[in-house]
Amino acid sequence: MTSPDPALLSINTATVRAQWALPEIVAGLARHDIRGISPWRDQVARTGVKQAAQLIRDAGLAVSGLCRGGMFPAPDAQGRRAALDDNRRAVDEAATLGAHCLVLVVGGLPKDARGAIVSKDLAGAREMVRDGIGELLDYARSAGVPLAIEPLHPMYAGDRACVNTMAHANDLCDELAPNGKDGLGIAVDVYHVWWDPGLKVQIERAGAHDRLYAYHICDWLVPTADLLNDRGMMGDGVIDLRLIRGWMQAAGYRGMHEVEIFSSNNWWKRDGDEVLLTCRMRHEQAS
Amino acid sequence: MTSPDPALLSINTATVRAQWALPEIVAGLARHDIRGISPWRDQVARTGVKQAAQLIRDAGLAVSGLCRGGMFPAPDAQGRRAALDDNRRAVDEAATLGAHCLVLVVGGLPKDARGAIVSKDLAGAREMVRDGIGELLDYARSAGVPLAIEPLHPMYAGDRACVNTMAHANDLCDELAPNGKDGLGIAVDVYHVWWDPGLKVQIERAGAHDRLYAYHICDWLVPTADLLNDRGMMGDGVIDLRLIRGWMQAAGYRGMHEVEIFSSNNWWKRDGDEVLLTCRMRHEQAS
């Protein structure tokens, strides 16, 4: 396996969110000759969507994705409508930014307005997710924004996303967009799926239907100190990143390699330039 | 769904390991009229295997399982032989204790003598697990000790167990013990498998082959503060325990309901009698 093309490196803005606002991130990427960005909506909102789009365009950056839409389940119809409205706004923002896709973190069990989970009906939540994506899909197609379902690690099934395997994401695509190339695909994040014994087969399945819309990299640390914010830099953990990249490439994926690291006790405490420099080096040497 | 029979309640000794040694646990179970126990090997060793077996027998307790065998992967043949030797000792102890099964936590990626992971070859680790169980099985059959593969949550794939789904455990049983009723089955722990969209089908599959050897209960807390030691008491989390118990019963499981809670900041800090009383109440009311 040869080293990846450095031009394929993209940085998810969460990786340096503790250090920099969006304009500083864009400037930092230029300093390190990094060609891709994937912003979070809250960071975009603080800059303003149009201004952010202009900044990114002026810097010549590709937008490998917008994070994030989703969070479909809600205890009642009003809540689900509100979620759908917010998802339509996310689609509009992705269109303005020229994002390659809108990443969907689909949501877990239904929560009340204060964020407390109010139901243990996981199968029901999964139905709400299917229905929500189905409703959003027409709008996204009209806007020309591909939707990328991101299966999240099973440890987030309750509170963040009840789609936890590539197989489930592929099943949803089969059901809602059976023809492939019709605006619904998958964002493969190694952190969430590396453990899955069916990963290779499910990447092949997604590739055969042109559904591989994004590829996110980082590493799984042993031990992991926190369920949310202890992701590792490529090479510091136990994921065989070259193996998985090989599977992605063999399945036809030619898109960017987006580094997304939440790390409250390590990378978020370091200088932003050090983080980007390390991302560049580790992308080449360890992914 | 009716409440479960209180006579089916069993306590995994890890649940009160911070409070009591094994003799105190046995006495505590008697005080609370709890009929089952599932000890850990280190706790048994401190009392002495024969003395522990005598204590448990004198108290009239059923032994729903012994925790644990497994940990098969190692970087070299010598390490794998050492693991197998230790597993044979675990089988002997399970036989002495009259345990219903020896629970197998199969191990993750291979580690060196200091406990550092030395390989990212997850598929290779899974082969070592298959081979290790295959080698142990003859010995366990001779000793009359059923082996129960416990699929662990995917968040433990790197360091504790690379069998992370019921489907994988069923596949291993199909391969190594295709006839059912031949000494290899599955320990279903809700904490590890509750998120799996294939859970119902895989419980049915295991039940159809008489492979449901154990059923462990607790709850998944949102948020979860620690990957290892923040399990919840039944009813305090988001798992639909009655639903899953219904699936187990429908699949033919008639064994005990074993409460296994690792909880460094909550239940391990409470009085042991309060913990057992709560286990009894919640088993009846919320599982």
Side-chain angles (χ1 to χ4, degrees), chain A residues 254-270:
Chain A
R254 298 291 178 268
M256 302 196 91
H257 308 157
E258 178 181 322
V259 178
E260 185 178 35
I261 298 174
F262 309 152
S263 171
S264 52
N265 281 321
N266 185 357
W267 297 102
W268 283 351
K269 289 188 169 170
R270 301 197 190 200

Side-chain angles (χ1 to χ4, degrees), chain B residues 13 20-27 37 39-56 93 97:
Chain B
T13 57
W20 290 333
L22 191 63
E24 296 169 284
I25 296 174
V26 170
I37 189 170
W40 278 67
R41 289 180 68 199
D42 63 316
Q43 294 167 296
V44 169
R46 273 194 291 277
T47 298
V49 182
K50 283 185 183 165
Q51 295 86 335
Q54 189 67 48
L55 263 179
I56 290 170
E93 291 163 26
L97 292 162

Side-chain angles (χ1 to χ4, degrees), chain B residues 234-256:
Chain B
M234 297 80 73
D236 288 345
V238 300
I239 303 177
D240 191 338
L241 289 163
R242 297 222 152 171
L243 181 73
I244 299 176
R245 175 165 63 86
W247 293 342
M248 290 292 290
Q249 289 177 193
Y253 182 74
R254 298 290 177 267
M256 303 196 93

Side-chain angles (χ1 to χ4, degrees), chain A residues 120 126 155 195 220 227 237, chain B residues 120 126 153 155 195 227 237:
Chain A
K120 300 182 182 184
R126 286 169 171 156
M155 67 187 176
W195 59 272
W220 181 280
L227 270 78
Chain B
K120 299 181 182 184
R126 285 168 172 157
H153 195 282
M155 68 186 174
W195 60 272
L227 270 78

Side-chain angles (χ1 to χ4, degrees), chain B residues 247-269:
Chain B
W247 293 342
M248 290 292 290
Q249 289 177 193
Y253 182 74
R254 298 290 177 267
M256 303 196 93
H257 309 157
E258 178 181 322
V259 178
E260 184 179 36
I261 298 175
F262 309 152
S263 172
S264 52
N265 281 320
N266 187 356
W267 298 102
W268 284 350
K269 289 187 171 171

